[in-house]
Amino acid sequence: MHLSEKEGIEKNSFVVTGGLGFVGSALCIELVRRGARIVKSFDVQTHSPFSPQLLQNGVHLIQGDITDKQDVQKALRGADCVFHLASYGMSGKEMLQYSRVDEVNINGTCHVIDACLDHQIKRLVYVSTPNVVYGGKEIVNGNENLPYFPIDDHVDPYGRSKSIAEQLVLKSNSRPFNKKNGKCLYTCAIRPAAIYGPGEERHLPRIVNLAKLGLLPFKIGSPNVKSDWVYVDNLVLALLLASMGLLDDIPGREGRPIAAGQPYFISDGSPMNSFEFLRPLLKCLDYDLPKTSLAVSHALLLGKIFWVFYSFLYPWLNCRWLPQPLILPAEVYKVGVTHYFSFLKAKEELGYVPMVSYKEGMAATIAYWQERKRRNLDGPTIWAWLFCVIGMSSLFAAAYLPDYGPIPFIRAVHLFFFPSMLALKLMFVLAAAAHLGEGIYAWNLAKRIDPANARGWFWQTFAFGFFSLRLLLKRAKK
């Protein structure tokens, strides 16, 4: 399919559900660039890091809930094409919220389909997931002929709900509009690989934060395990080509559109081991990649333990103080079992060819994260935190607190290493003075090389001493 880059876009109106997200915002901006008349971003959020850029490009920001039928009906009115990206439960704590996952991914999709039929919107592009056919069993260079993974066998509600939603979307293809006028709705589904790029806020921040804290203790599975990734610009291109593939008024191609009722796998076409994929990024950020490996069976056991533990914390899953689980079963399958897919069908039918290679995409992603790290306060690992907090607290307790509870035991342990209480108190005073001196030095140094975070460097170095100061010295050296 060879069409103008503005075919079906110029002078048309679009709605992007989940439009304040990473992919949704990039899609909105590209639609504007290609001459769309109106672009609406429909999202439950009122603001995101991408909001200012969207507003600068003239995108209409509509706040609403995909699970509220009236919100959806209102947002989609007047659209010529809808890109349905909104979803919930892809990773982390969200995966355990079964009811919300189904409500957003299944009910929300039904509302979108109904609104398209009510408002006579001819094109609906649904963003799905490879998990509709993958559930932990190896797939090598799979294609769209693979059957759906059995609904009851999914290990997480996200894959199950997205499978149901995709089937609803594809079965709605060619459904006549509610106002009988001889026209109908055309639908297709895009199944993107794991998405990356500058500004991605779901996978990479979680991985980078774990590496920063020293909480990436092991790889999972064999080094030969491979999976797909897709750079954001490549995915946006695929989505636009899919919308063109639903046009039924192209001269010489009138009738059923080529993409109608079809699913498409989309990737960069460079399957690789997930940990090798991340190596250049973590290396450039001076974070360590784990050297030891954990068998998939053992990682699954660990994931199930986290699943059970966090299930008991269900009422607090949305609380910011509750950290993300280290790993969950579905995430073990994502990184520990080979599964990658061919985009040949998308190439032949839509004309999709990745325009950004893995090397180019990773270079842009690394540059973004290096700048992000430069702007923010860098901190020590969790082990340094624990060493300093526990060490200084126990030293203070042994030196100055009265005998109560565990204090006599803590004092006895310290006196095993120090000759007297006077020496113990003197050690605490010297340690506190050293931390204060290091904090003042860090503050003066940061005022020259990182003035925006100078106060943060002082307090962090005062608390953690050389563990923090060495990070600032490394930044000064660079």
Side-chain angles (χ1 to χ4, degrees), residues 76-199:
L76 268 58
R77 184 177 291 112
D80 297 300
C81 176
V82 174
F83 292 94
H84 182 27
L85 280 67
S87 66
Y88 191 82
M90 182 184 295
S91 62
K93 295 184 293 182
E94 290 182 1
M95 298 179 98
L96 290 92
Q97 301 184 51
Y98 285 79
S99 60
R100 181 62 179 169
V101 171
D102 285 351
E103 193 177 13
V104 171
N105 296 346
I106 300 175
N107 296 352
T109 299
C110 290
H111 295 332
V112 170
I113 294 171
D114 289 342
C116 288
L117 295 171
D118 289 341
H119 298 315
Q120 303 183 59
I121 301 170
K122 297 179 67 174
R123 294 181 284 162
L124 170 59
V125 179
Y126 177 65
V127 176
S128 184
T129 169
N131 292 355
V132 300
V133 300
Y134 172 70
K137 298 179 181 178
E138 184 176 285
I139 297 176
V140 176
N141 207 34
N143 60 37
E144 289 78 2
N145 292 323
L146 288 169
Y148 285 100
F149 192 75
I151 293 295
D152 294 334
D153 292 345
H154 281 280
V155 297
D156 69 302
Y158 179 77
R160 180 184 59 81
S161 65
K162 293 291 281 187
S163 179
I164 293 171
E166 181 187 291
Q167 293 177 67
L168 287 171
V169 169
L170 297 184
K171 288 180 179 179
S172 296
N173 181 67
S174 298
R175 279 182 63 182
F177 294 136
N178 293 336
K179 295 178 181 179
K180 307 297 182 180
N181 59 1
K183 297 182 179 180
C184 64
L185 169 67
Y186 292 117
T187 68
C188 69
I190 297 296
R191 300 168 175 173
I195 307 162
Y196 72 103

Side-chain angles (χ1 to χ4, degrees), residues 7-319:
E7 192 75 45
I9 298 176
E10 194 171 28
K11 299 181 180 179
N12 282 320
S13 176
F14 295 84
V15 174
V16 179
T17 70
L20 287 187
F22 174 55
V23 178
S25 60
L27 176 59
C28 287
I29 292 170
E30 184 62 15
L31 286 167
V32 172
R33 189 190 72 81
R34 295 195 182 202
R37 178 170 55 87
I38 297 175
V39 178
K40 299 178 185 177
S41 163
F42 177 60
D43 204 295
V44 71
Q45 302 178 85
T46 57
H47 184 81
S48 83
F50 311 104
S51 298
Q53 191 176 5
L54 290 173
L55 291 171
Q56 289 172 10
N57 282 272
V59 177
H60 300 260
L61 306 187
I62 301 175
Q63 193 274 331
D65 193 338
I66 199 75
T67 65
D68 187 314
K69 187 169 184 176
Q70 296 305 315
D71 283 356
V72 177
Q73 290 279 343
K74 183 178 178 181
L76 268 58
R77 184 177 291 112
D80 297 300
C81 176
V82 174
F83 292 94
H84 182 27
L85 280 67
S87 66
Y88 191 82
M90 182 184 295
S91 62
K93 295 184 293 182
E94 290 182 1
M95 298 179 98
L96 290 92
Q97 301 184 51
Y98 285 79
S99 60
R100 181 62 179 169
V101 171
D102 285 351
E103 193 177 13
V104 171
N105 296 346
I106 300 175
N107 296 352
T109 299
C110 290
H111 295 332
V112 170
I113 294 171
D114 289 342
C116 288
L117 295 171
D118 289 341
H119 298 315
Q120 303 183 59
I121 301 170
K122 297 179 67 174
R123 294 181 284 162
L124 170 59
V125 179
Y126 177 65
V127 176
S128 184
T129 169
N131 292 355
V132 300
V133 300
Y134 172 70
K137 298 179 181 178
E138 184 176 285
I139 297 176
V140 176
N141 207 34
N143 60 37
E144 289 78 2
N145 292 323
L146 288 169
Y148 285 100
F149 192 75
I151 293 295
D152 294 334
D153 292 345
H154 281 280
V155 297
D156 69 302
Y158 179 77
R160 180 184 59 81
S161 65
K162 293 291 281 187
S163 179
I164 293 171
E166 181 187 291
Q167 293 177 67
L168 287 171
V169 169
L170 297 184
K171 288 180 179 179
S172 296
N173 181 67
S174 298
R175 279 182 63 182
F177 294 136
N178 293 336
K179 295 178 181 179
K180 307 297 182 180
N181 59 1
K183 297 182 179 180
C184 64
L185 169 67
Y186 292 117
T187 68
C188 69
I190 297 296
R191 300 168 175 173
I195 307 162
Y196 72 103
E200 192 273 329
E201 290 293 332
R202 183 174 293 274
H203 301 297
L204 295 185
R206 185 175 169 201
I207 293 168
V208 169
N209 286 335
L210 286 173
K212 174 182 175 180
L213 291 171
L215 292 175
L216 277 181
F218 47 75
K219 304 175 186 177
I220 297 174
S222 163
N224 298 323
V225 169
K226 293 182 179 180
S227 58
D228 283 322
W229 293 75
V230 62
Y231 187 67
V232 60
D233 290 355
N234 293 334
L235 176 54
V236 168
L237 173 63
L239 291 170
L240 296 176
L241 291 172
S243 73
M244 297 177 190
L246 295 178
L247 293 169
D248 64 354
D249 56 358
I250 300 174
R253 297 186 182 181
E254 293 86 353
R256 182 182 174 90
I258 192 170
Q262 299 299 314
Y264 297 96
F265 288 110
I266 298 297
S267 70
D268 288 346
S270 303
M272 62 175 61
N273 183 273
S274 293
F275 294 96
E276 290 306 309
F277 174 88
L278 295 168
R279 181 185 296 277
L281 174 62
L282 297 181
K283 182 178 180 181
C284 288
L285 296 177
D286 295 323
Y287 299 143
D288 294 329
L289 195 70
K291 296 179 176 60
T292 59
S293 295
L294 191 65
V296 171
S297 58
H298 297 157
L300 276 174
L301 176 61
L302 181 62
K304 290 175 181 177
I305 291 172
F306 274 101
W307 187 281
V308 171
F309 177 74
Y310 273 76
S311 294
F312 283 111
L313 301 176
Y314 185 88
W316 302 281
L317 288 178
N318 285 326
C319 296

Side-chain angles (χ1 to χ4, degrees), residues 407-429:
I407 301 301
F409 174 76
I410 295 173
R411 183 172 290 119
V413 171
H414 282 74
L415 286 174
F416 181 80
F417 298 97
F418 294 93
S420 65
M421 285 295 297
L422 179 62
L424 197 59
K425 293 179 179 180
L426 181 61
M427 175 55 68
F428 177 79
V429 171

